[in-house]
Amino acid sequence: MVLYKRKPVPLVSRPSHIQDDQEVWVFEQTGEVFSNYHTYLQRFVLLYKALTSSAGLTGSRRFSVDFYRQKRFSCELTGHSGLSFLDALQSEVGLDTDTKIDASGEVDDAFPDALKGPILRKVQFSTVSRIDHLVDHVYEVISPFFEPFKSFTDILQEFKHEFFPGENVLVVHDDGNRSPGLLREKTKVTELLRPDGSVERSAYVRYTVSLNTPRNKETVVEANSLIRDRKSFTKQRLRSFLKKTIDHESWIGAPWCVKSKVAQEYQINGDIPSHLTYEHQMAQRKANLMLKKNDFDGHVLNFSPGLPQLKPKGQKYKRGSQDLARLSEEYQRALAANPDFSKIPQAMQQQQIEHLLKESNGVNGFHPIAAKGPPKHTPQPPPPKYPIEDLELTPVREKAPRPAVKFLSIDPPTPHSLPEEPASGILMRSVGPLLETWDTLNVYCEVFQLDSFTFDDYIEALQLTHDTYHCQLLVEIHCAVLKKLVNDVNDKNGQVQFSLRESNLPGSEESSLADTGSLPSPTPEPEVKPPGRTTRSSLAKSEAAELKTAEAAGHLPNIENKVHRAAEMAQSTRAYDWKMRLRKRDFKDGAWVYIIVGLLYQLSHDPRRKKSCDDVLNKLAPHDREATVETAIAQYALIDINTRVRILQILCMLSMETKAIRIYMEECSNNMTEFRKERLEMQRKRRGAMEDLQALVEERKALQPRSRTASPVPELEGLNDSKLLNGTEDEMEVDNDEVTAMDTEDEEPHQGRSLRRANDRAAQRKKRAEEERLRKERALAEKAKKPSKQEKQLEKNGKKIEEAKDQIKEYEEEVLVLENDLRESDCPRTRVLGKDRFWNRYYWFERNAMPYAGLPDSSTAFAGYANGCLWVQGPDDMERQGFIELCASENAQYYNAFRMSVPERKIIEEGETHVFNARQWGYYDEPDDLDKLIGWLDSHGIREVKLRKELQAQRSNISKYMVQRKEFLDSSEDKKSENGEPTPRMSTRTKTYLDPATTRRCFAWTNLTAEREIGHIHSEPKPPVNNRKQAKSAKKAVEEDVRQTRTTNRQGKPLTRQGTRYNF
């Protein structure tokens, strides 16, 4: 700090929250900044008055600008005087180019680094008043080449010969020679006491020093063999270092504190102890004054004759030689009475005194007097720092419970909460796979070449029991997934795209080897030559012979021990098995069901999949029906939705192993990288446009008249926000003085004596006013026709501002589009919105990897939604057992804290509906329930604060598509009611034909994607050769229409995973 006549010159701190366009006033000499001109002048005058009055200056010299240049300032750190203000200030902070003074740098370089930390910790919170005494105290304790004074305590004696690692020292050898070295390691050995309290081994310290020799020899010495270089550690350097690094307040008894920046560098605690604070010292002084006023006059009683006599109470006096001699004599007398008195530790002395007072009921009949003071105040625990664990929050019993969850299944966890449609037939164990398969088919719809479809249409298609094979949605889903499992016969010879376990049927080895492309090992058995000509009868005979051979060899199991006949069905069609059918894409007339039977039978040889595959095969190939393809096709039409969901789950899981899915995921990952780069580029361009807009606004301020420069500019209101406010620019107005016209109303008639020609005079005045008004209007019109140069510049500036705002808006829209592209390309996993206090997971499946309303060019895009529900999944088993179902001790502890257990709290706070494990699902489909759920979540919980934030961010989109789903389903119900009467279209013998497309929503779905890309749907065979040209031309026309509507990037790829961009 700069001093003037030994008084500091304080500087004003820099004001906070200064805008870039704000006008400020600065002292060049001191660097002080003021945001108010009045404060600047006041500071200028007060500072010079204070300085000049202390110097005794008068007259005009008091406010001379050259005062700062006078050589009367001094540097507090170095003590250099005769400096100007600027030189003294530079001496405080570092090197000055004019005077070549380097105070702080010189101190930092000259003082040993190894001693900085220990010395600062030693002087932290020291109450030595003067810095000279503090320097002497530290120097005598740290320095080893000074003899200790007799008045130092034993504690200080322990630090007398202390050194620190990293310090340059001198090692004194036995012959008196000294060798420089670097202290590497310090080892302390504590004191060892005997049971009687005597010292068996004193404490000592050993140091490992690396000598400055060519081989860096290391030696182990004690403290008495080490000294410091006198030139590296002096009192002057210690004083400069302490003045630079510590300071204290001005009140008496204030502790020395290390500066915050230095304390942070050396990791020194800066919290002042409570007994050293100013408030505590003032309270202690007041208590001492009250004690002196209420105390009695006389001597302090001496209860123990063996202890030395205490000094009489009275005025303070200086202890003389007689008093010291008397105290020494009393101490020797007490020591003679008890020789072991000096050997007993302090803790044992205290125990003996307490025991003496307890046994004798006081000393000499007097009871000990307990000092009465204020009761000890137990500090309150600090308030918790939110957010914390959700279940550690105190339950609010008056708060409304969570809104009721709806269930899709017919067996909900709570019996009284039945679904809206009890006849759906969906079990709770099938809800999770149902959502899983729907999400997989919609996320990877481009790979499967499927149109997107709604969740309600998906459920309705899986529930069909009549006209099953007429529903294109149901058939196309199975055929599209099956085609990805095995390649076409012309594509790599129909290679299988997933890991397939070998079956036990004869001929399976050959087929497996053919799939992998390797040759079978030679066998000594002769191969059976096929007949020269194959007919139907010969083929049937060969199949029957192979079946008998298999039964004789024991390859076929006993039908009585099996629950299905899939093996017989596979054996009966071995010459044209499921792989061959799938390679040739033979899906016609429900043949894809037989492919599923053969695939599941081969998968059943895997122990992990055996149970699930056998359960499905029991219904597709029952043991009480014939083992034919027709049986499998007929049985599929009779199975329920739960079995069909299990089939699709197995197929979707197998498709995740295929190469097509992996390639698609890699492409999406690369697209996300490109989108992120483009987003960063757009954000950079937007920042540049914002800077240009700000420059244009400043230019407009300079061009405007001064009378309007103080008015706020609407273009600047959104500069500090992340998005620019779309405010319209204020138009230029004409001055009021130029457009003010005279009053043209007729004057009231004069009621007094009438003058001659009074009416003529009034008419003349009115005429002159009219002429003046017309003249001003013409002048304004001419001025408008010929604008001034300033007006032209303002108009040009306004156009540029509008263009800049439009450009910024385009950049912001482009950023939003890229963010939507990133969301739609995020397909590797389904992201959860968050978890509540009871570890329930919340999903909104439209959040990532798909458009909010499905593909815009889908056949059912008119529905306007994809799922339209917020789904709730119960806690996982590990979370349920570790956080909800606690052990007995933890449950008792939780009950003592909140008067309820965690399961009881779950029942109370969740209301009437619950999900208890991860296999149970519920949903919300009303925006009001979504708002109630957001209000039920507690923002003080660590999980619910994240879930609440996500729900609030996605609330508008979730509510929008919830409403869209409800409106679409209501309109569909209205159409069903209108078409409820059967319309006779095709008469039969028993009933009137009813078109299912008029009653079922799922029949409106068609696979337009497959028709565009391959020219036909998956369940139909390829068009014949004569019609291929027509199909190819039709496909080309469709691709041309799609190409005109798509937006591509520089590489020609669509910017989104669906090939278009959507309104959001």
Side-chain angles (χ1 to χ4, degrees), residues 564-591:
H564 59 78
R565 304 185 66 180
E568 300 176 26
M569 190 179 297
Q571 180 64 27
S572 63
T573 57
R574 188 178 62 85
Y576 190 49
D577 62 351
W578 66 273
K579 294 180 186 177
M580 187 59 66
R581 286 179 182 268
L582 188 52
R583 290 188 183 105
K584 293 185 177 182
R585 306 304 190 231
D586 185 6
F587 301 136
K588 192 175 181 179
D589 298 331

Side-chain angles (χ1 to χ4, degrees), residues 637-649:
L638 301 177
I639 60 177
D640 58 353
I641 183 175
N642 303 291
T643 307
R644 293 177 179 177
V645 168
R646 296 184 69 177
I647 294 173
L648 284 173
Q649 185 183 21

Side-chain angles (χ1 to χ4, degrees), residues 377-449:
H377 177 69
T378 303
Q380 296 292 336
K385 186 178 181 180
Y386 297 108
I388 61 175
E389 168 60 32
D390 299 77
L391 293 177
E392 293 181 0
L393 295 170
T394 304
V396 182
R397 301 180 182 273
E398 296 80 9
K399 191 174 181 179
R402 188 187 66 181
V405 179
K406 298 180 181 180
F407 295 99
L408 188 65
S409 62
I410 60 176
D411 55 342
T414 50
H416 60 276
S417 55
L418 292 175
E420 296 180 355
E421 299 180 0
S424 62
I426 304 175
L427 299 177
M428 180 58 74
R429 60 179 173 83
S430 300
V431 177
L434 195 66
L435 291 168
E436 176 187 347
T437 53
W438 175 85
D439 185 66
T440 302
L441 293 172
N442 278 269
V443 168
Y444 300 100
C445 60
E446 290 183 351
V447 181
F448 297 127
Q449 294 175 331

Side-chain angles (χ1 to χ4, degrees), residues 93 257 318 573 789:
V93 299
C257 299
K318 189 173 182 181
T573 57
K789 183 178 180 180

Side-chain angles (χ1 to χ4, degrees), residues 138 149 535 706 855:
V138 174
F149 293 147
T535 60
R706 293 186 177 181
L855 290 177

